[in-house]
Amino acid sequence: MTVPDADGVGAIAFYYALRDGADAEQATTALATVAAAMPPYQRPCCLRAMPALPRTATGKLMRRKLAELHPVTG
């Protein structure tokens, strides 16, 4: 999803939740390695693990809630 950065320009933020039994350290390292290999214009500004992604009663992702969680700097 895109979130505003300090300049007000949209930046990519990556929020994720791990499955039960997944190794958090290994997943974080793998995601950071993949992100570092991406071109700068595709690279997420942040990788953030969450216990669970916010969802509606019908199971749809609540993108607005994720945007509210992103810290605004500047």
Side-chain angles (χ1 to χ4, degrees), residues 1-70:
M1 78 175 295
T2 59
V3 293
D5 64 4
D7 297 331
V9 178
I12 300 168
F14 188 80
Y15 294 90
Y16 62 96
L18 297 175
R19 292 182 181 171
D20 292 336
D23 183 7
E25 185 176 331
Q26 184 179 12
T28 303
T29 302
L31 286 170
T33 302
V34 170
M38 292 177 163
Y41 64 92
Q42 291 181 340
R43 194 173 301 141
C45 65
C46 69
L47 298 171
R48 186 168 177 191
M50 301 182 67
L53 296 174
R55 299 201 177 265
T56 65
T58 59
K60 293 182 179 180
L61 185 62
M62 297 174 76
R63 292 180 183 94
R64 194 170 281 164
K65 290 283 187 186
L66 290 176
E68 291 171 3
L69 295 173
H70 184 73

